[in-house]
Amino acid sequence: MMQQNLIDPALRTTLAGVPMVSPVLTASGTCGYGPEYAELLDYRRLGGFTTKSVTRHERPGNNPERIVETRAGLLNAIGLANVGVERFIAEKIPFIERMPTSVWVNVAGYDISDYTFVIERLDEHACIAGFELNVSCPNVKDGLMFGTDPRLLREVVAAARAASKRHPMIVKLSPNVTDIADLARAAIDGGADALSLINTYVGLSINAETWKPNIANVTGGLSGPAIKPLALFNVHRVYREVAQKANIPILGMGGIQTTSDAVEFLLAGATAVAVGTALFVDPTIPQKIAAELPAYLSKRGLSHVSELVGRFAFAK
Amino acid sequence: MATNISNNPSRALHDGGQPSRVVASVRVLDVRKPCREHVWVEFDARSLPASEPGQFLQVVCAPDAAIPDHAVDWTEGRLPQLSGVDWQGRTPQVRRPFSIADRWTAADGGDRAAIISRAIGPGTRWLDNLQPGAMLSITGPLGVGFAIPPIGRPLVLIGGGVGIPPFLYLARRLLELGHRDLTLIFGVQSRDLMPIEVVASPAPDGAASACLRLPSGDAPPAIVTTDDGSLGLRGRVTDALAAWLKQRGESGRAALVYACGPEPMLHAVARQTRAESLECQLCIERLMGCGLGTCLSCIVQTPCARSAAGWRWTLSCSSGPVFDRDALIEFAH
């Protein structure tokens, strides 16, 4: 009975064929592997959970400092610190099996075989809803390559697609490109079932007293409310130029903190949204948004959240 | 309004048991300035799960919280509410960690807790101006607190400046548990920066006396050091520990030393306790984004046998903030 009350039919939707009780997910790299928020965030209300990136080998990550606050944002360079796929299977999968939501495993790598290796190792696990390909981590050497070159991107997505026999594939795109629509097209050509928009913007923070960078990696990825208008634009552009025609759903993210933020991403063309950096401050935000969305829908005379997707009135 | 949800943590994964941590909005009951730069913020802790000395809280230090607790007002035709909007973008983006400075049951039976803040930036300055009755958003209790040995062992609590607060709570707990052999060594720059009550003039030669009164009302033996000699012993906390060891003689060799304070002080105490073969626990602070083990920024090097380098990064928010001295590479050698 409790379970019934958690699910509002107006919010039920799907992402890449995966059913969701709400269109609000958590974004990779801001929610660990699951146990970290288990006591705070009600996973039953989530449309899905996206893990921290998993790579072929364990990675210690960058030296400190790894984050710095900026005006309206957070700059980070963690360096894909993660346990590696074998420890992920041994130590994290048992918890994920118990999580009452769809769990997307974010996969990162340096060459195509890194991606296919991780996906092949994980593909047999039915507790995984699918994969999110991180082709755009800006904080590791050459990490941007796949995400900025349409030909390479298509190649890595196709190889990853072929490596999974049973799971859908989301491709998370970088905004650090001239025209994100070209990359979206390449990802879809490669076989992407959905697109995550966007990863962080490359940024720099300098200490005017020491003349040194504020994070050890020098550059980092900017997230938080500072990038929300930029993220909205990218969602809008990809939806109008590519995704709508191709019937490929968009998972929108970038600075989402409130229900209003989430609605704006849906209006721009996202099918679902993910909360990222804001989880650091309040891990309960996704369930708050999921709880507030039905009231917004009924106030606007809408019966289902899908009626918001791509509906913003942008014609001049 | 969905505000209450944050006080109803997920039970989906821990089978109806009490959560060990919550995101909660708590009412501020008292705000005092115990000395020139510190502020004591006391709040109603009924929604805070059981805590241990050394654990910390993550506090939103911004007007109306860094993140609005509710959706925008959808009323058509109404201008958006702009008061409190930070046009300079100086609002802290993440919470700030504070040691639990004390937790106790008030005379009226209420569950109370406090943090002590020193105003150094926009967030802590905001805390400085809090008024009783205001609401404070906290996450906690978080982290691993101090390990407490069986009764009888001599315990030395060394706090330097902003590192003093966790020891007010620890001293209360130790006394409650029946520990009687404890000594406080509190060091500050000068007299007007001592964040607790001075009830008698501390000895200038580093002798322990009942010169400080804890918020609990207890006054265990204490040695005070100041950089300028304006209170107690002129010198460092390590000078005080040396004086204490000399005075205690052989019985001091079994002491467990707890320390919290600025990095140079922690290094000095680590060196001294290692040289004296004393066991030591350090409460450290690293730049922290979440306190929950997800932002991966508050890292420290810890020994790791299966790593080729012999160490690995460990999160101070979830494996600390209290560590055995020898579990931290930078303090162990």
Side-chain angles (χ1 to χ4, degrees):
Chain A
M1 199 173 109
M2 183 69 184
Q3 193 74 22
Q4 295 279 312
N5 295 339
L6 290 169
I7 298 166
D8 190 310
L11 299 187
R12 280 181 178 280
T13 184
T14 64
L15 182 69
V18 176
M20 305 189 291
V21 297
S22 92
V24 190
L25 295 84
T26 61
S28 176
T30 60
C31 51
Y33 296 109
E36 293 85 351
Y37 293 156
E39 290 186 275
L40 302 172
L41 172 57
D42 189 342
Y43 290 142
R44 293 169 301 176
R45 282 181 169 268
L46 283 184
F49 178 98
T50 317
T51 69
K52 171 78 184 153
S53 289
V54 178
T55 55
R56 183 175 190 162
H57 303 292
E58 183 171 353
R59 289 179 50 86
N62 295 333
N63 289 340
E65 305 289 347
R66 289 177 168 185
I67 62 167
V68 63
E69 283 175 304
T70 64
R71 286 192 189 168
L74 196 68
L75 195 68
N76 86 82
I78 310 301
L80 291 178
N82 82 100
V83 295
V85 68
E86 299 307 330
R87 281 184 62 202
F88 178 80
I89 291 168
E91 298 169 21
K92 309 301 179 183
I93 286 279
F95 187 87
I96 290 172
E97 281 173 339
R98 295 169 52 219
M99 284 175 71
T101 188
S102 302
V103 176
W104 297 85
V105 178
N106 184 289
V107 179
Y110 296 88
D111 58 38
I112 288 176
S113 71
D114 287 344
Y115 287 92
T116 55
F117 183 90
V118 172
I119 289 167
E120 281 164 7
R121 282 295 286 128
L122 293 174
D123 203 38
E124 68 188 79
H125 292 279
C127 64
I128 296 171
F131 299 105
E132 182 184 64
L133 293 194
N134 178 0
V135 293
S136 54
C137 181
N139 303 324
V140 292
K141 197 168 173 289
D142 295 339
L144 269 175
M145 289 305 291
F146 288 116
T148 55
D149 181 324
R151 194 183 54 79
L152 276 179
L153 179 64
R154 186 175 152 173
E155 208 179 319
V156 72
V157 173
R161 181 60 282 169
S164 171
K165 304 282 176 276
R166 58 192 291 180
H167 287 116
M169 193 84 52
I170 305 176
V171 178
K172 185 169 186 175
L173 295 182
S174 169
N176 301 294
V177 295
T178 307
D179 186 354
I180 198 166
D182 293 338
L183 285 305
R185 233 173 258 119
I188 293 169
D189 287 348
D193 301 295
L195 300 173
S196 278
L197 300 173
I198 55 174
N199 208 322
T200 55
Y201 274 87
V202 176
L204 177 63
S205 171
I206 297 174
N207 186 320
E209 300 302 321
T210 63
W211 296 18
K212 288 177 179 167
N214 279 321
I215 47 181
N217 189 58
V218 183
T219 59
L222 183 65
S223 64
I227 69 165
K228 193 189 108 185
L230 309 169
L232 273 175
F233 166 71
N234 281 288
V235 170
H236 167 63
R237 175 146 184 90
V238 169
Y239 181 71
R240 295 292 162 188
E241 291 292 319
V242 188
Q244 187 179 20
K245 283 171 229 144
N247 198 26
I248 294 291
I250 294 170
L251 176 58
M253 64 193 76
I256 295 176
Q257 295 187 327
T258 67
T259 305
S260 175
D261 294 336
V263 166
E264 291 162 37
F265 274 84
L266 299 173
L267 290 171
T271 292
V273 298
V275 179
T277 302
L279 297 176
F280 293 157
V281 179
D282 186 352
T284 69
I285 285 173
Q287 75 197 47
K288 286 182 184 170
I289 294 176
E292 290 180 355
L293 269 176
Y296 175 77
L297 293 176
S298 63
K299 216 164 208 173
R300 305 294 303 207
L302 303 173
S303 59
H304 194 269
V305 70
S306 61
E307 293 168 56
L308 289 170
V309 177
R311 286 286 303 283
F312 93 107
F314 69 98
K316 293 188 180 96
Chain B
M1 209 52 68
T3 313
N4 291 335
I5 289 173
S6 60
N7 289 329
N8 290 322
S10 169
R11 286 173 185 86
L13 288 178
H14 58 115
D15 310 322
Q18 288 301 305
S20 70
R21 52 181 58 177
V22 295
V23 180
S25 198
V26 296
R27 186 169 299 282
V28 173
L29 299 174
D30 192 15
V31 183
R32 285 199 309 270
K33 299 216 72 171
C35 65
R36 179 158 59 83
E37 288 185 4
H38 294 86
V39 62
W40 162 274
V41 180
E42 184 175 320
F43 58 89
D44 181 342
R46 77 181 81 175
S47 54
L48 186 68
S51 56
E52 300 297 331
Q55 287 191 299
F56 66 99
L57 305 174
Q58 283 279 76
V59 180
V60 171
C61 296
D64 307 320
I67 289 178
D69 203 29
H70 53 80
V72 295
D73 191 332
W74 302 105
T75 311
E76 284 188 40
R78 215 178 111 177
L79 287 171
Q81 177 59 255
L82 293 182
S83 64
V85 170
D86 174 20
W87 297 110
Q88 296 300 316
R90 286 293 189 186
T91 301
Q93 294 299 304
V94 292
R95 292 174 184 258
R96 297 286 181 267
F98 293 92
S99 294
I100 302 174
D102 207 1
R103 187 160 186 191
W104 69 99
T105 303
D108 64 3
D111 190 344
R112 302 276 193 274
I115 57 172
I116 294 176
S117 163
R118 184 180 183 192
I120 53 167
T124 40
R125 274 199 297 278
W126 176 82
L127 274 182
D128 238 23
N129 294 317
L130 267 183
Q131 298 295 320
M135 300 304 285
L136 199 61
S137 174
I138 61 169
T139 306
L142 302 172
V144 177
F146 297 105
I148 296 176
I151 292 166
R153 192 155 168 204
L155 305 174
V156 182
L157 285 56
I158 303 181
V162 289
I164 289 173
F167 293 130
L168 310 183
Y169 187 20
L170 178 62
R172 177 193 291 274
R173 176 66 61 86
L174 292 171
L175 291 167
E176 281 171 1
L177 289 171
H179 278 276
R180 288 297 170 263
D181 189 354
L182 67 138
T183 306
L184 310 177
I185 297 178
F186 286 178
V188 291
Q189 287 170 345
S190 59
R191 176 181 199 106
D192 56 351
L193 287 172
M194 176 59 74
I196 62 169
E197 193 183 355
V198 181
V199 291
S201 204
D205 61 354
S209 67
C211 56
L212 299 177
R213 182 179 292 139
L214 299 170
S216 61
D218 297 306
I223 307 172
V224 173
T225 69
T226 50
D227 294 349
D228 62 1
S230 55
L231 190 67
L233 172 70
R234 178 180 187 144
R236 305 269 165 94
V237 291
T238 42
D239 301 328
L241 179 59
W244 181 86
L245 283 167
K246 190 172 174 199
Q247 182 258 318
R248 284 292 296 251
E250 204 46 44
S251 73
R253 312 307 311 171
L256 168 59
V257 174
Y258 300 99
C260 183
E263 291 293 296
M265 185 206 98
L266 290 181
H267 280 283
V269 171
R271 275 193 303 275
Q272 186 180 21
T273 53
R274 205 168 45 244
E276 300 282 358
S277 303
L278 301 176
E279 196 187 332
C280 177
Q281 294 177 28
L282 302 173
C283 182
I284 64 166
E285 178 169 8
R286 290 293 177 274
L287 182 68
M288 206 178 269
C290 69
L292 302 166
T294 60
C295 81
L296 309 182
S297 62
C298 59
I299 47 172
V300 284
Q301 289 183 343
T302 57
C304 177
R306 63 174 174 78
S307 141
W311 60 270
R312 66 186 181 99
W313 292 121
T314 294
L315 298 178
S316 62
C317 69
S318 42
S319 297
V322 178
F323 291 92
D324 277 330
R325 174 198 61 214
D326 298 336
L328 295 169
I329 302 260
E330 61 191 288
F331 292 102
H333 304 289

